[in-house]
Amino acid sequence: GAGVSQSPRYKVAKRGQDVALRCDPISGHVSLFWYQQALGQGPEFLTYFQNEAQLDKSGLPSDRFFAERPEGSVSTLKIQRTQQEDSAVYLCASSLARDLSYEQYFGPGTRLTVT
Amino acid sequence: GENVEQHPSTLSVQEGDSAVIKCTYSDSASNYFPWYKQELGKRPQLIIDIRSNVGEKKDQRIAVTLNKTAKHFSLHITETQPEDSAVYFCAAYPRRFYFGSGTKLNVKP
């Protein structure tokens, strides 16, 4: 079946531009996570949704980062006024269960390069 | 918050040898410990996981051990093959997932 998909796969933005990254989770998956993965590092938690509710946004690095999942399926991560330090791969993951200690299925990621 | 440390950062083994990757964590509330394999340019994929009420779990050539007292857990890969070459990440879950910094495993044919 279809896995988690993300678009675009690659995004180049000039410093100061706004970007929007999309995540399509596996159908029926309740939980959705966003992670930031810098080169050579492990994924860093950004935010978590259970259905449409954003239950944890403590990992968002600044108020320039905003995420939404209005209908409890597709999610968008928006970064305003991008900075060079925002360059990273942004991973989305979804999970069937509300209990977070279950397998997450990752998308292929969006590689964001801010020039 | 939780702090997960992973080592070594790189590991090179000969095909057929075993590989061991170790992680430590700090939060005693952590109760779920997955391991992910990430090939270059690909998404992380779960290869094995263990919960805090279990000390060891095996799946064919892969095993994970957990020592709750010492707060460390390890990934063991036996009879390594070139296709095992990838970056491996450990993670710990107390309320949300914290990942280690990764181990780049190179299996030489």
Side-chain angles (χ1 to χ4, degrees):
Chain A
V4 179
S5 61
Q6 291 185 244
S7 60
R9 291 293 315 278
Y10 303 92
K11 177 70 179 176
V12 179
K14 285 188 165 39
R15 191 160 58 97
Q17 281 184 331
D18 297 350
V19 298
L21 313 180
R22 178 187 168 109
C23 172
D24 282 84
I26 294 172
S27 177
H29 276 200
V30 168
S31 299
L32 185 146
F33 308 82
W34 282 99
Y35 294 90
Q36 181 188 61
Q37 187 175 25
L39 192 63
Q41 297 296 314
E44 292 267 354
F45 172 84
L46 293 177
T47 187
Y48 158 63
F49 289 86
Q50 187 178 103
N51 295 311
E52 69 278 5
Q54 189 174 20
L55 297 187
D56 187 345
K57 55 181 181 179
S58 61
L60 295 176
S62 78
D63 58 9
R64 296 185 295 104
F65 287 70
F66 171 77
E68 59 184 6
R69 194 186 184 198
E71 295 176 2
S73 54
V74 171
S75 177
T76 303
L77 176 68
K78 297 179 179 176
I79 309 173
Q80 297 177 323
R81 304 181 303 282
T82 51
Q83 304 292 316
Q84 282 194 314
E85 61 262 27
D86 299 335
S87 295
V89 174
Y90 290 85
L91 292 166
C92 173
S94 70
S95 176
L96 181 61
R98 285 186 171 79
D99 179 350
L100 298 191
S101 61
Y102 270 87
E103 179 173 2
Q104 298 178 82
Y105 294 84
F106 281 87
T110 294
R111 182 177 296 279
L112 173 64
T113 303
V114 181
T115 60
Chain B
E2 174 64 280
N3 180 38
V4 177
E5 295 191 354
Q6 182 173 347
H7 56 95
S9 56
T10 60
L11 179 59
S12 192
V13 300
Q14 207 65 41
E15 182 178 358
D17 287 350
S18 295
V20 180
I21 303 170
K22 299 182 180 180
C23 288
T24 60
Y25 62 99
S26 59
D27 191 337
S28 56
S30 290
N31 60 4
Y32 175 60
F33 306 90
W35 285 89
Y36 289 87
K37 176 182 180 182
Q38 187 173 30
E39 296 178 35
L40 191 62
K42 301 275 183 71
R43 68 191 76 193
Q45 292 198 301
L46 180 74
I47 54 170
I48 195 166
D49 57 12
I50 191 167
R51 298 185 185 277
S52 58
N53 58 348
V54 174
E56 182 175 0
K57 184 177 178 181
K58 281 183 101 168
D59 182 4
Q60 299 182 334
R61 297 187 296 109
I62 295 173
V64 56
T65 58
L66 171 65
N67 183 327
K68 283 194 302 180
T69 305
K71 296 198 185 73
H72 67 70
F73 56 113
S74 300
L75 177 71
H76 305 253
I77 306 175
T78 57
E79 300 170 26
T80 53
Q81 299 166 5
E83 50 266 37
D84 295 330
S85 297
V87 178
Y88 292 80
F89 293 100
C90 63
Y93 173 76
R95 298 169 297 283
R96 69 184 214 200
F97 288 96
Y98 294 82
F99 284 80
S101 54
T103 296
K104 185 175 182 179
L105 174 65
N106 179 34
V107 180
K108 295 178 285 187

